Amino acid sequence: MSTVMEKPDPTVTTSKRRLPGWARGALWAVVAIGVLSTASYLTDMPILTSSDTSQTALRLGLPILLAAIGGLWAERAGVMNIGLEGMMILGTWGSAWGAYYGGVWVGLAAGILFGLLGGLLHAVAVVTFNVNHIVSGVAINLLGLGVAQYLATLVFEPISGNPRESPPVAKFDTYSATFLSDWLGALEDEQRVVLSDVAGLLRGLVTHVSPLAMIALLLVPASYFILWRTRFGLRLRSCGESPVAAESLGVNVYLHKYIAVAASGGFAGMGGASLVLLEGGADYLENQVNGRGYIGLAAMIFGNYRPSGLLGGAALFGYADGLQLSGGGAAVLALCYGAVLLLAIIVVLQLIRRHWWAAAGGVAGAAVLYWIYWTNDELPSDLIPYTPHFVTIIVLAVAAQRLRVPKAIGQQYRRGEDT
């Protein structure tokens, strides 16, 4: 007896349909708000979802977001840029110098220019002379720090009397959506579960917002459009995937890498400028970048080299930094409880997918965090300022499991070579 085998219908696809990236991001945002609301209620810490916390998080997340955008441009072109820290440092000095002599917009332009010069120097080293990308990035960080110290001593010390800080400089004005802010403030004051939490978080995002914050947020969809929806972006990304194949198709690989790394430095310089020019921030201070370039790189990795993902990473790190400033050790401890709730959700998802080892790791992480929460009334004050750095380490450990890295990132390339 013969068996007739049916041919599969080519019009029917067997692959699972996945949510688009923006929908997944929105879904995780809803989950995060739900977790924060629950943690705020159970720990009696309304500071977790207050407007002050979200407003501070927005201000502190901007330099991280801009550094992450800079990293995205460079690394999508195949250039590893760990020199973002040094480019941000150059941007802080340049913006303070420009703002002191020419006003806030001149300061922003000067910060971008100084960061761009750092990016061009990195491009000359790694693109033209094929220097190891990590070695060049470390050199840029050291050079940026040294140049900023020298210029501060040369220019600022005669004015301020202190070689480590600038004289007072102009700051960006801030704007509020008055009617919306007042309405959300009234909802926040009612202290209703979930509703007041959402109102508090949203109110912080529409109150005392600077033009620089608006520009930075617009750069996320702009970067997506340029890199993923234009011919230029396709060519630039092809340089990060296979520069030899790109060259065979007529793409000027050197030019696209130079543009990408220069833009990367400009964005990083803008991030440094945001530390100086935003209301509530300090004027130029030595070491004020404080690792934010590296955290921006971590935000980009967390976002899997995608604009929407790095926005979520910058929001996470900015929130952690803003929370420790607004609420101190008790608030950070409450955040640990929120992380336990989030891990519980992730463990359930991993069990549904039959990812046993990932689920076991989530259970272990939740147990450690809950032990920290249960055995402490407040975290030591010496550890609180390093909250974003601890979050960075944890996020990198988790994000490394699902990365889609550009194939030719960090590779040396010479025009005309076959490999």
Side-chain angles (χ1 to χ4, degrees):
M1 181 178 179
S2 61
T3 304
V4 178
M5 300 295 293
E6 294 184 0
K7 294 182 179 181
D9 186 353
T11 63
V12 178
T13 179
T14 57
S15 60
K16 296 180 179 179
R17 297 187 63 182
R18 299 184 62 186
L19 288 173
W22 65 266
R24 291 198 300 272
L27 180 60
W28 277 111
V30 171
V31 171
I33 291 173
V35 166
L36 289 175
S37 177
T38 304
S40 174
Y41 176 76
L42 294 178
T43 60
D44 195 25
M45 288 293 295
I47 193 70
L48 288 178
T49 55
S50 72
S51 55
D52 288 339
T53 299
S54 61
Q55 185 177 333
T56 306
L58 176 62
R59 177 172 60 84
L60 296 179
L62 284 181
I64 298 172
L65 174 63
L66 290 165
I69 294 173
L72 174 73
W73 276 71
E75 306 217 359
R76 275 296 178 178
V79 178
M80 190 178 298
N81 190 4
I82 66 170
L84 292 169
E85 180 84 0
M87 298 170 195
M88 288 186 73
I89 293 172
L90 291 172
T92 58
W93 188 90
S95 62
W97 172 71
Y100 180 75
Y101 288 104
V104 65
W105 289 104
V106 174
L108 177 61
I112 295 173
L113 176 61
F114 272 75
L116 187 145
L117 291 175
L120 282 176
L121 185 59
H122 186 48
V124 169
V126 301
V127 178
T128 301
F129 295 104
N130 274 317
V131 175
N132 181 279
H133 295 205
I134 295 177
V135 172
S136 176
V138 171
I140 293 295
N141 290 335
L142 297 175
L143 183 64
L145 180 61
V147 168
Q149 290 176 340
Y150 171 75
L151 292 176
T153 301
L154 183 67
V155 177
F156 291 151
E157 185 177 16
I159 303 172
S160 66
N162 188 341
R164 296 188 175 184
E165 65 177 315
S166 69
V169 300
K171 305 285 186 180
F172 275 107
D173 293 329
T174 58
Y175 305 91
S176 301
T178 307
F179 173 78
L180 183 59
S181 178
D182 293 342
W183 178 64
L184 291 173
L187 287 178
E188 182 183 7
D189 293 339
E190 291 178 6
Q191 292 300 308
R192 297 182 183 180
V193 179
V194 180
L195 183 61
S196 293
D197 298 316
V198 174
L201 292 172
L202 291 178
R203 186 190 181 204
L205 302 179
V206 298
T207 306
H208 299 301
V209 180
S210 70
L212 182 54
M214 302 176 195
I215 293 171
L217 292 174
L218 288 174
L219 283 174
V220 176
S223 295
Y224 172 77
F225 177 79
I226 293 172
L227 295 178
W228 272 269
R229 290 292 182 266
T230 66
R231 291 182 179 180
F232 167 78
L234 176 62
R235 291 167 181 166
L236 186 147
R237 288 187 293 116
S238 70
C239 296
E241 297 294 337
S242 178
V244 174
E247 181 188 10
S248 70
L249 295 173
V251 176
N252 189 332
V253 176
Y254 280 11
L255 176 62
H256 284 78
K257 284 180 178 285
Y258 261 92
I259 292 174
V261 182
S264 176
F267 290 132
M270 188 186 295
S274 69
L275 292 171
V276 175
L277 303 178
L278 289 181
E279 190 70 34
D283 300 316
Y284 169 81
L285 290 173
E286 189 175 306
N287 296 325
Q288 80 186 118
V289 175
N290 193 28
R292 287 181 174 86
Y294 300 112
I295 297 177
L297 199 61
M300 180 204 64
I301 295 172
F302 170 81
N304 208 5
Y305 300 84
R306 302 282 295 190
S308 58
L310 66 83
L311 176 62
L316 173 64
F317 297 128
Y319 177 81
D321 203 4
L323 183 65
Q324 61 92 9
L325 286 178
S326 299
V332 175
L333 200 60
L335 183 62
C336 290
Y337 187 84
V340 172
L341 299 177
L342 181 60
L343 282 173
I345 296 173
I346 293 174
V347 166
V348 172
L349 292 176
Q350 297 299 336
L351 289 174
I352 293 173
R353 296 172 181 173
R354 298 175 180 264
H355 296 167
W356 312 118
W357 285 109
V363 170
V368 171
L369 288 173
Y370 189 75
W371 176 79
I372 294 174
Y373 172 77
W374 185 257
T375 56
N376 293 275
D377 294 327
E378 186 172 336
L379 292 177
S381 59
D382 293 338
L383 294 178
I384 301 305
Y386 297 99
T387 300
H389 302 81
F390 291 132
V391 173
T392 301
I393 295 172
I394 296 171
V395 164
L396 284 178
V398 174
Q401 308 302 317
R402 57 177 184 83
L403 291 182
R404 165 58 176 88
V405 182
K407 292 181 180 179
I409 190 170
Q411 294 181 8
Q412 294 181 344
Y413 165 77
R414 296 182 188 275
R415 182 177 292 152
E417 288 188 350
D418 294 332
T419 57

